[in-house]
């Protein structure tokens, strides 16, 4: 189908399909009223193009929705080095290597510190190149001691707090390979009695869920974790446990989004909408992980190209509506109180960028990093 002259501007075109029962091929009608033209596909005169669909679609310049880049939290030397206020990790490792009783809490706090938005160890488990060999060796030695300490707790040989476990989880993917599986076993032991040495009160579940999200590194571990998360109805999730763990998995991994099926995506989106709705009219103190999970969920486009695009997917429309309601809440109540104003100022620009992503036209590839930092 060809036009006799070039159009001066974009012109609306309507495509309709008609199928009469038992009448053979469907009729495709392309109608452009403003051009006073109508085309009907003539199947009998058509010639079959012997090329794969993906090549043809690419050649025609088909729409391709953007995908947020994978989240990688960088490392730096700031927390390794001593400063005027406190010791760096290098000094702490040297001190504790000589002790019979390691101060796991101090070591864990240093690993969790993020001066200038840089950890001691990156979320991919990398160390800064400037770290001396001696400090690397001390870290390896104390990591092995921490793993033995945690294993002794699991075996019932000792009773202790979770500080050595925190020390390991804040090493992200550099943590010992057995650790994610140990955390998964704690998930399996979940009950009102908290029947696991890692969990002596409810707040310990935050460490178990988020610690797994930090340390998980294989697709099989991701598969098991997602199956455990989905065992609980999304209505029963808590934002710092299941929502956070799912957000970590989808945002930090190349493989976790590939494990999702459509029904999984629908459940995750339902949870996002639940948490957006729950914060309307509040100070948004529990809003940390819902936008983050939504950003990670958009990485399902690695598996299903152009998924969750507004106007093409009802679920994307529902997510857009949830964002718009939140932004209206921000606009109407900007001066509600200082805490609310700070939250609105932090989240509103990021919600605008999430809307762009839902439209398939994201402009910030580092959106997941920004959502983590909010």
């Amino acid at each position: 189908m060809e036009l006799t002259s070039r159009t001066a501007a974009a012109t609306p075109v309507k495509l309709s399909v008609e199928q009469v029962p038992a009448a053979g091929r469907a009729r495709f009608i392309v109608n452009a009223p403003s051009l006073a033209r109508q085309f009907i596909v003539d199947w009998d005169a058509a010639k079959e193009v012997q090329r794969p669909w993906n090549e043809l679609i690419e050649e025609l310049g088909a729409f391709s929705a953007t995908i947020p880049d994978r989240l990688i939290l960088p490392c730096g030397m700031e927390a390794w080095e001593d400063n005027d206020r406190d010791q760096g990790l290098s000094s702490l490792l040297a001190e504790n290597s000589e002790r019979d009783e390691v101060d796991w809490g101090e070591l864990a706090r240093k690993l969790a510190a993020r001066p200038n938005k840089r950890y001691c160890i990156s979320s991919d488990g990398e160390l800064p190149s400037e770290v001396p060999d001696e400090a690397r060796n001390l870290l390896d030695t104390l990591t092995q001691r921490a793993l033995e300490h945690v294993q002794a707790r699991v075996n019932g040989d000792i009773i202790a707090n979770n500080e050595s476990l925190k020390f390991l989880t804040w090493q992200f993917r550099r943590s010992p390979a057995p650790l994610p599986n140990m955390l998964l076993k704690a998930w399996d032991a979940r009950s009102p009695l908290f029947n696991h040495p890692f969990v002596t009160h409810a707040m310990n579940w935050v460490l178990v869920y988020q610690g797994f999200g930090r340390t998980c590194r294989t697709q099989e571990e991701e598969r098991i974790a997602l199956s455990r998360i989905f065992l609980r109805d999304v209505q029963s999730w808590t934002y710092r446990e299941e929502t956070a763990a799912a957000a970590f998995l989808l945002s930090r991994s190349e493989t976790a989004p590939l494990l999702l099926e459509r029904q999984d995506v629908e459940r995750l989106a339902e949870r996002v909408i639940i948490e957006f709705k729950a914060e309307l009219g509040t100070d948004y103190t529990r809003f940390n992980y819902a936008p983050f999970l939504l950003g990670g969920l958009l990485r399902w486009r690695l598996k299903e190209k152009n998924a969750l695009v507004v106007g093409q997917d009802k679920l994307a429309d529902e997510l857009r509506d949830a964002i718009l309601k939140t932004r209206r809440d921000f606009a109407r109540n900007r001066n509600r109180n200082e805490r609310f104003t700070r939250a609105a100022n932090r989240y509103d620009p990021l919600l605008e960028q999430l809307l762009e992503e839902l439209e398939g036209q994201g402009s910030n590839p580092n959106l997941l990093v920004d959502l983590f930092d909010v």
Side-chain angles (χ1 to χ4, degrees), residues 200-214:
T200 56
H201 56 82
M203 281 302 297
N204 291 151
W205 287 116
V206 175
L207 173 60
V208 171
Y209 279 80
Q210 295 193 20
F212 179 86
R214 288 192 288 268

mmCIF file of all heavy atoms in Angstrom, residues 200-214:
data_model
loop_
_atom_site.group_PDB
_atom_site.id
_atom_site.type_symbol
_atom_site.label_atom_id
_atom_site.label_comp_id
_atom_site.label_asym_id
_atom_site.label_seq_id
_atom_site.Cartn_x
_atom_site.Cartn_y
_atom_site.Cartn_z
ATOM 1 N N THR A 200 14.689 -14.760 66.841
ATOM 2 C CA THR A 200 14.199 -14.802 68.216
ATOM 3 C C THR A 200 13.096 -13.780 68.462
ATOM 4 O O THR A 200 12.422 -13.828 69.473
ATOM 5 C CB THR A 200 15.352 -14.547 69.198
ATOM 6 O OG1 THR A 200 15.972 -13.289 68.878
ATOM 7 C CG2 THR A 200 16.385 -15.657 69.107
ATOM 8 N N HIS A 201 12.925 -12.846 67.522
ATOM 9 C CA HIS A 201 11.775 -11.940 67.565
ATOM 10 C C HIS A 201 11.462 -11.492 66.143
ATOM 11 O O HIS A 201 12.258 -11.704 65.213
ATOM 12 C CB HIS A 201 12.024 -10.736 68.487
ATOM 13 C CG HIS A 201 13.248 -9.939 68.151
ATOM 14 N ND1 HIS A 201 13.264 -8.975 67.167
ATOM 15 C CD2 HIS A 201 14.492 -9.974 68.674
ATOM 16 C CE1 HIS A 201 14.464 -8.432 67.108
ATOM 17 N NE2 HIS A 201 15.230 -9.028 67.998
ATOM 18 N N ALA A 202 10.310 -10.880 65.969
ATOM 19 C CA ALA A 202 9.786 -10.625 64.624
ATOM 20 C C ALA A 202 10.720 -9.789 63.756
ATOM 21 O O ALA A 202 10.820 -10.002 62.538
ATOM 22 C CB ALA A 202 8.418 -9.943 64.727
ATOM 23 N N MET A 203 11.428 -8.842 64.320
ATOM 24 C CA MET A 203 12.285 -7.974 63.529
ATOM 25 C C MET A 203 13.434 -8.734 62.868
ATOM 26 O O MET A 203 14.025 -8.245 61.895
ATOM 27 C CB MET A 203 12.837 -6.849 64.403
ATOM 28 C CG MET A 203 11.848 -5.723 64.658
ATOM 29 S SD MET A 203 11.272 -4.959 63.109
ATOM 30 C CE MET A 203 12.806 -4.294 62.477
ATOM 31 N N ASN A 204 13.756 -9.926 63.372
ATOM 32 C CA ASN A 204 14.834 -10.695 62.762
ATOM 33 C C ASN A 204 14.510 -11.130 61.332
ATOM 34 O O ASN A 204 15.415 -11.416 60.549
ATOM 35 C CB ASN A 204 15.158 -11.937 63.593
ATOM 36 C CG ASN A 204 15.793 -11.612 64.929
ATOM 37 O OD1 ASN A 204 15.646 -12.344 65.890
ATOM 38 N ND2 ASN A 204 16.520 -10.490 65.009
ATOM 39 N N TRP A 205 13.197 -11.181 61.005
ATOM 40 C CA TRP A 205 12.839 -11.581 59.647
ATOM 41 C C TRP A 205 13.341 -10.582 58.614
ATOM 42 O O TRP A 205 13.609 -10.951 57.468
ATOM 43 C CB TRP A 205 11.325 -11.759 59.514
ATOM 44 C CG TRP A 205 10.838 -12.998 60.200
ATOM 45 C CD1 TRP A 205 9.994 -13.080 61.263
ATOM 46 C CD2 TRP A 205 11.184 -14.343 59.880
ATOM 47 N NE1 TRP A 205 9.803 -14.386 61.628
ATOM 48 C CE2 TRP A 205 10.520 -15.185 60.788
ATOM 49 C CE3 TRP A 205 12.000 -14.918 58.910
ATOM 50 C CZ2 TRP A 205 10.646 -16.566 60.755
ATOM 51 C CZ3 TRP A 205 12.126 -16.300 58.870
ATOM 52 C CH2 TRP A 205 11.448 -17.109 59.788
ATOM 53 N N VAL A 206 13.469 -9.328 58.999
ATOM 54 C CA VAL A 206 14.004 -8.327 58.069
ATOM 55 C C VAL A 206 15.410 -8.721 57.640
ATOM 56 O O VAL A 206 15.754 -8.668 56.453
ATOM 57 C CB VAL A 206 13.987 -6.922 58.704
ATOM 58 C CG1 VAL A 206 14.653 -5.908 57.776
ATOM 59 C CG2 VAL A 206 12.557 -6.493 59.025
ATOM 60 N N LEU A 207 16.236 -9.127 58.616
ATOM 61 C CA LEU A 207 17.601 -9.562 58.287
ATOM 62 C C LEU A 207 17.583 -10.811 57.418
ATOM 63 O O LEU A 207 18.353 -10.921 56.450
ATOM 64 C CB LEU A 207 18.386 -9.833 59.571
ATOM 65 C CG LEU A 207 19.778 -10.456 59.392
ATOM 66 C CD1 LEU A 207 20.672 -9.567 58.555
ATOM 67 C CD2 LEU A 207 20.409 -10.757 60.750
ATOM 68 N N VAL A 208 16.717 -11.774 57.725
ATOM 69 C CA VAL A 208 16.678 -13.022 56.959
ATOM 70 C C VAL A 208 16.294 -12.752 55.508
ATOM 71 O O VAL A 208 16.962 -13.204 54.571
ATOM 72 C CB VAL A 208 15.706 -14.024 57.613
ATOM 73 C CG1 VAL A 208 15.491 -15.241 56.715
ATOM 74 C CG2 VAL A 208 16.241 -14.467 58.977
ATOM 75 N N TYR A 209 15.222 -11.983 55.300
ATOM 76 C CA TYR A 209 14.749 -11.718 53.933
ATOM 77 C C TYR A 209 15.709 -10.809 53.175
ATOM 78 O O TYR A 209 16.102 -11.105 52.039
ATOM 79 C CB TYR A 209 13.354 -11.089 53.970
ATOM 80 C CG TYR A 209 12.240 -12.086 54.146
ATOM 81 C CD1 TYR A 209 11.916 -12.600 55.403
ATOM 82 C CD2 TYR A 209 11.486 -12.529 53.065
ATOM 83 C CE1 TYR A 209 10.894 -13.518 55.575
ATOM 84 C CE2 TYR A 209 10.462 -13.437 53.208
ATOM 85 C CZ TYR A 209 10.165 -13.932 54.474
ATOM 86 O OH TYR A 209 9.156 -14.843 54.633
ATOM 87 N N GLN A 210 16.074 -9.692 53.784
ATOM 88 C CA GLN A 210 16.939 -8.755 53.079
ATOM 89 C C GLN A 210 18.360 -9.295 52.958
ATOM 90 O O GLN A 210 19.049 -9.026 51.975
ATOM 91 C CB GLN A 210 16.918 -7.394 53.770
ATOM 92 C CG GLN A 210 15.556 -6.730 53.723
ATOM 93 C CD GLN A 210 15.605 -5.266 54.130
ATOM 94 O OE1 GLN A 210 16.646 -4.632 54.111
ATOM 95 N NE2 GLN A 210 14.458 -4.716 54.496
ATOM 96 N N GLY A 211 18.796 -10.042 53.967
ATOM 97 C CA GLY A 211 20.114 -10.653 53.882
ATOM 98 C C GLY A 211 20.205 -11.623 52.724
ATOM 99 O O GLY A 211 21.223 -11.677 52.017
ATOM 100 N N PHE A 212 19.145 -12.387 52.499
ATOM 101 C CA PHE A 212 19.140 -13.268 51.334
ATOM 102 C C PHE A 212 19.177 -12.453 50.051
ATOM 103 O O PHE A 212 19.902 -12.787 49.106
ATOM 104 C CB PHE A 212 17.914 -14.181 51.323
ATOM 105 C CG PHE A 212 17.877 -15.083 50.128
ATOM 106 C CD1 PHE A 212 18.542 -16.290 50.134
ATOM 107 C CD2 PHE A 212 17.219 -14.696 48.971
ATOM 108 C CE1 PHE A 212 18.550 -17.105 49.017
ATOM 109 C CE2 PHE A 212 17.228 -15.504 47.847
ATOM 110 C CZ PHE A 212 17.888 -16.705 47.877
ATOM 111 N N GLY A 213 18.390 -11.377 50.000
ATOM 112 C CA GLY A 213 18.383 -10.533 48.811
ATOM 113 C C GLY A 213 19.756 -9.968 48.486
ATOM 114 O O GLY A 213 20.100 -9.780 47.319
ATOM 115 N N ARG A 214 20.552 -9.718 49.518
ATOM 116 C CA ARG A 214 21.899 -9.190 49.293
ATOM 117 C C ARG A 214 22.882 -10.266 48.834
ATOM 118 O O ARG A 214 23.789 -9.993 48.050
ATOM 119 C CB ARG A 214 22.445 -8.548 50.584
ATOM 120 C CG ARG A 214 21.780 -7.238 50.946
ATOM 121 C CD ARG A 214 22.550 -6.515 52.044
ATOM 122 N NE ARG A 214 22.418 -7.148 53.349
ATOM 123 C CZ ARG A 214 21.490 -6.836 54.244
ATOM 124 N NH1 ARG A 214 20.577 -5.916 53.969
ATOM 125 N NH2 ARG A 214 21.452 -7.439 55.427
#
